[in-house]
Each structure stands twice: as structure tokens, then as C-alpha cells.
Amino acid sequence: MEPSSRGPAGFLTQANALLRKNLTFQKRNLKTNIGIIGFPVVICVLLVILQNVVNHQLHKAKYRCGCVCIDTNGDGNCETVCGLQYSTLDQVGSCPIPSPPKWPALLQVPRLESRAVRSGFVSSTDLPDASCKDSKSCPATVLFTGFTTNMATNIFTHHE
């Protein structure tokens, strides 16, 4: 018998053999495949159930903003008015605030004894002399980059 002179297998033959091999391997590991696919599905279902339970609990009247029926126009028909003044402590957190106060820009200013001054170690001409610590008049020195320049000009505006 002479050896076959067909040469190496073609791409489609190799792809077919590899596909059959992988299918056989996947059939043997069916439990693992079910676990890999099922775990994220189970987690998502549990999260949806938990979210629905929390939403159901928070939607109860006990946790909604307190409301009262008041005759505001004096015509005998009452209107439902809701607000903080009609709420219990459990309800207050869900009431809207009509005009909340604006928070000021939060900035940590160094204490007077920790402010930067000119010394033998730091000789920058932009810093004040060390004598300002005696008179307690040292300005706060804040470093900022070009990225924050616009924000810094809004925070450090000069008010007279």
C-alpha cells in the first residue's frame, strides 16, 4: 500500500473537526455550562426581586411625604397639601424642599501657624515675610493648576 498523497487537510475540514471536538467536550461538561449561564441569571432575578420588595416597602404611606386636605380657597372644596409640617419623622426624608439653600464652596484653609512664609528653606518672593506670623496676618497660600484656574477665580473673588 502506498501512502496517500492528498496533503494537509483543508481549512473547512480542520474547522469541522475542531467544532465536533468542542461539541463533544461541551456535552461532557453540561453541568458546568448550565452553572456558567445560570449564575448571572439567578443573580439578576434576585436583584429584581429585592428591588421590588424595597420599592413596595418605601411606597407605603408611612414613608411618603405627609399630606393634609385643606380648604385653601375658602370655597368648601379641600385641596391636598403636602409638606414637612404635615409629616412624621419617617416621612420627612421623602418630602421635597421647595428652595434648598445653596452650599458654599468647601475649602480647607490652613491654620495660621501652618501658613506658608518666606524662610531660609523657601525663598519665594510670592510668599509673605515670616513676621506676619507674629501679627497673625499671614494670608492663606493655595496652589492651583491651570485646570482649576477658572474654578479658583470663582472661589477666590475679592469682596469689599
Side-chain angles (χ1 to χ4, degrees):
M1 281 186 131
E2 285 186 33
S4 173
S5 61
R6 293 187 188 175
F11 175 76
L12 291 177
T13 306
Q14 289 180 3
N16 187 20
L18 185 61
L19 177 66
R20 289 174 185 265
K21 176 186 164 193
N22 285 338
L23 286 175
T24 304
F25 183 71
Q26 295 299 329
K27 276 192 236 176
R28 290 184 197 152
N29 297 317
L30 187 62
K31 290 179 186 176
T32 304
N33 291 337
I34 291 172
I36 289 171
I37 293 171
F39 183 74
V41 171
V42 169
I43 293 296
C44 289
V45 167
L46 288 176
L47 286 174
V48 167
I49 291 171
L50 181 65
Q51 184 67 55
N52 286 333
V53 167
V54 169
N55 287 345
H56 180 70
Q57 290 298 318
L58 291 179
H59 193 64
K60 291 181 177 178
K62 177 182 176 183
Y63 298 112
R64 279 189 273 156
C65 190
C67 298
V68 178
C69 191
I70 299 177
D71 183 12
T72 56
N73 298 336
D75 59 355
N77 296 330
C78 70
E79 291 183 33
T80 303
V81 179
C82 301
L84 293 172
Q85 62 271 29
Y86 310 115
S87 302
T88 66
L89 287 176
D90 290 332
Q91 296 172 326
V92 168
S94 62
C95 291
I97 300 174
S99 57
K102 288 186 176 182
W103 283 17
L106 301 177
L107 179 68
Q108 287 185 328
V109 179
R111 289 182 286 180
L112 191 60
E113 62 269 9
S114 302
R115 295 190 182 170
V117 293
R118 242 180 297 150
S119 65
F121 178 71
V122 178
S123 60
S124 174
T125 58
D126 292 339
L127 296 175
D129 191 51
S131 63
C132 72
K133 285 194 176 186
D134 297 332
S135 63
K136 298 184 179 180
S137 63
C138 295
T141 303
V142 180
L143 301 173
F144 56 91
T145 63
F147 177 72
T148 58
T149 302
N150 192 16
M151 183 177 68
T153 56
N154 292 333
I155 293 175
F156 299 117
T157 55
H158 189 276
H159 297 287
E160 304 246 357

